[in-house]
Amino acid sequence: MRIHFFSAILATLALFPTLLFAVNEDLAPESATGTLVQKTVSARHQLVVTAHPLATQAGYKVLQQGGSAADAAVAVQAMLTLVEPQSSGIGGGAFMLYWDNSTQQLTAFDGRETAPAAADENLFMTAEGTPMDWWDAMVGGRSVGTPGVLAMLELSQKKYGKQPWDSLFNDAIATSESGFTVTPRLHQLLAANINPGLGRYPQAKDYFFTPEGEPLPVGYQLTNPALADSLRQIATQGATALYQGELGVKIVEAVKQASDNPGKLQLSDLQNYRAVARQAICRPFRQYRVCGFPPPTSGGVTTLQILRMMEFAEQQPLPADSVDFYHLFSQASRLAYADRARYLADSDFIQVPVDELLDDAYLHQRSQLISPLKDMGKANPGELPSKISRADDRSPELPSTSHFVIIDRWGNAVSMTSSIEMAFGSTLMAGGFLLNNQLTDFSFVAEQDGKPVANRVQPGKRPRSSMSPMMVFDENNQLVAALGSPGGSRIISYVAKNLYLKLSSDISLQQAFNTPHMVNRNGVTELEVGTAAEQFAEPLKALGHETKIRDLNSGLHGFFRQRDGSWASAVDPRREGSALGD
Ligand code: GLU
């Protein structure tokens, strides 16, 4: 049953005029589109959980036809490009954890966008030497990074796929031609003018609005023949169609032709793009081994830091509905986000002390800064043995993005977060899909007080992310869970909270996803509006917290192994996702 909270929608709409002028990380534009009551799907053999029922179906069909999780991921992403265009697509980037059950190997496939070779640390600076206004930077060609998701999918599918590549696009091509139904969420994001750039360039304007300039209504049957054509080229030629072929030319043209804000992307950037297979980072939490994605995302390190510090600081595992949980989670988050701002960025370009940040002795000592009786206030980053001297990063990340999980009949699994950054990305379209604005995840400012910012723009570098695809293993190295979420830099909080709650108690993963959110990114303690979290505002204030009640719009998708060995789905009630399995 779908329940829409119209009052919340109206409240959000009322906020927009101000939001358009004053952007900061407070903005969570994909909020207030209602909640769904989700029923758990219990699956013995295979399971797909994504943000849209058609993407779930496309992935599930591939599994039923004998495909692996790596095959299904291609079908899911192709369909999401069409049906959830605001959040992810082949014009963007992604991080995928892949568990190959037969070899017990976990791989972190990195399809993050890169900065063009012609970009430098002044990319987002004005002629006067000040950082650009965020919206000015974001809309148009300037913020478009070299898309990475397709190269990454091809890399993982070549290694772990069982079906022919060209068979994986059938559903997405057919649906691009026959059309899909505009969902309440897509309509509401358009109606809310979530991304003011959407009216600026003709392709997106014509695609998402009626000739009268109205946002496409709920239920509208939207076709995308240009995307069908692009996907057909990709199906027959492989990712080459985008990186070396006609599609690449279209992307570069779109970026250059945004004459009010042209970008630096060239064909050579596409030709030189490489997805990377990295080593996942795993650390203990209770009896489990929790694994996340290494830099260039901050998601894995920061999530693992929060969990471990909570484990060191708690007297006993804390339940979701206790002020002690809210307080402890906020304090561990403060410490972890402080380290994130100082140390985390693309480790191919700058030394990132991952081992030092995840060292047990270090985290134990950091956890001792937590008082059960008082908010610590702004946390400082920790002193590390390597004595790296850096300035903090203050780049905002605004939420769009999509997370999906897949497990196949052989026990192989995907946990993948995919993004074009802001809802509707740069708002430029090429070949029927939106181009990302991921370069705005870089720090606009390159140095401060003579110290470099780790996440400054450099040619070929990947912007720091918060995306946190996670997997959990038991003592026998058997997969127990996979999950992740969108939500900009709040992704880490959503993922860490749900991992803590699920791995500390008997509640189901779905029940964990249903619990109210609380976020502290080393500032104000945010409590999810309209939920039981609100009741903790006063007790937290008494501990010295500054609190704020607001939308906290995650899109968590995951699964968890049940005692009988079957897989239980979990779908965030805050979005329109679905699960299918058997
Ligand atoms: N651009 C963000 C990142 O890479 C994700 C944005 C979102 O989740 O909405 O971490």
Side-chain angles (χ1 to χ4, degrees), residues 169-483:
F169 298 84
N170 293 343
D171 260 24
I173 292 170
T175 314
S176 301
E177 278 168 346
S178 62
F180 70 100
T181 308
V182 170
T183 64
R185 180 174 186 79
L186 176 53
H187 167 75
Q188 285 166 27
L189 294 174
L190 291 169
N193 193 23
I194 209 75
N195 186 329
L198 262 187
R200 206 185 288 179
Y201 305 108
Q203 289 88 345
K205 193 172 173 205
D206 294 348
Y207 184 60
F208 290 111
F209 295 87
T210 66
E212 294 72 41
E214 295 298 321
L216 295 179
V218 177
Y220 183 88
Q221 199 67 8
L222 182 57
T223 57
N224 190 338
L227 183 61
D229 195 44
S230 300
L231 293 176
R232 220 175 257 118
Q233 289 177 40
I234 293 165
T236 50
Q237 297 165 34
T240 295
L242 191 143
Y243 293 96
Q244 322 266 353
E246 203 184 297
L247 283 179
V249 175
K250 282 187 187 161
I251 292 173
V252 170
E253 267 171 17
V255 166
K256 290 213 169 111
Q257 281 169 7
S259 53
D260 54 344
N261 197 17
K264 310 254 183 214
L265 191 73
Q266 290 167 8
L267 259 188
S268 50
D269 294 309
L270 290 159
Q271 285 158 356
N272 294 333
Y273 184 84
R274 295 288 173 273
V276 187
R278 301 186 189 274
Q279 185 127 35
I281 38 173
C282 302
R283 290 294 184 276
F285 177 70
R286 309 210 190 286
Q287 72 269 38
Y288 300 101
R289 203 163 56 90
V290 180
C291 297
F293 211 99
T297 182
S298 59
V301 171
T302 310
T303 302
L304 292 171
Q305 279 196 320
I306 293 173
L307 291 175
R308 199 64 169 155
M309 284 190 282
M310 289 183 77
E311 197 176 8
F312 285 137
E314 73 192 6
Q315 300 295 321
Q316 78 247 337
L318 297 166
D321 54 352
S322 64
V323 70
D324 288 349
F325 169 73
Y326 276 62
H327 178 67
L328 177 58
F329 183 65
S330 72
Q331 303 301 290
S333 297
R334 274 189 180 283
L335 293 163
Y337 274 91
D339 279 354
R340 171 184 178 270
R342 179 69 52 94
Y343 298 117
L344 293 175
D346 183 351
S347 52
D348 292 345
F349 279 74
I350 190 151
Q351 185 199 349
V352 180
V354 170
D355 288 340
E356 291 175 43
L357 289 166
L358 291 175
D359 177 64
D360 259 0
Y362 171 72
L363 292 174
H364 188 261
Q365 170 219 324
R366 291 281 279 169
S367 71
Q368 288 178 335
L369 298 171
I370 298 175
S371 157
L373 303 175
K374 194 171 172 332
D375 177 39
M376 70 175 67
K378 188 130 194 110
N380 290 319
E383 295 272 331
L384 297 173
S386 53
K387 303 250 179 283
I388 294 171
S389 172
R390 301 239 178 89
D392 289 352
D393 179 3
R394 299 201 172 81
S395 62
E397 283 165 38
L398 300 183
S400 138
T401 307
S402 206
H403 186 82
F404 60 89
V405 293
I406 303 167
I407 181 137
D408 67 27
R409 68 185 75 178
W410 300 277
N412 309 309
V414 161
S415 182
M416 172 162 154
T417 317
S418 188
S419 175
I420 55 170
E421 187 6 45
M422 176 66 187
F424 303 99
S426 64
T427 74
L428 291 172
M429 285 182 98
F433 54 90
L434 282 158
L435 303 182
N436 70 83
N437 67 299
Q438 212 70 252
L439 299 185
T440 56
D441 274 3
F442 279 117
S443 171
F444 285 21
V445 175
E447 60 163 56
Q448 225 166 322
D449 309 326
K451 290 183 192 160
V453 177
N455 186 32
R456 66 186 180 281
V457 184
Q458 293 175 270
K461 190 177 178 182
R462 288 157 149 87
R464 183 194 65 189
S465 169
S466 300
M467 293 195 270
S468 312
M470 306 295 293
M471 286 192 184
V472 182
F473 297 85
D474 66 14
E475 300 97 322
N476 304 317
N477 204 29
Q478 296 303 300
L479 183 66
V480 173
L483 74 158

Side-chain angles (χ1 to χ4, degrees), residues 95-98 106-110 276-281 292-294:
F95 296 111
M96 178 206 276
L97 284 184
Y98 194 87
L106 182 63
T107 309
F109 287 106
D110 174 346
V276 187
R278 301 186 189 274
Q279 185 127 35
I281 38 173
F293 211 99

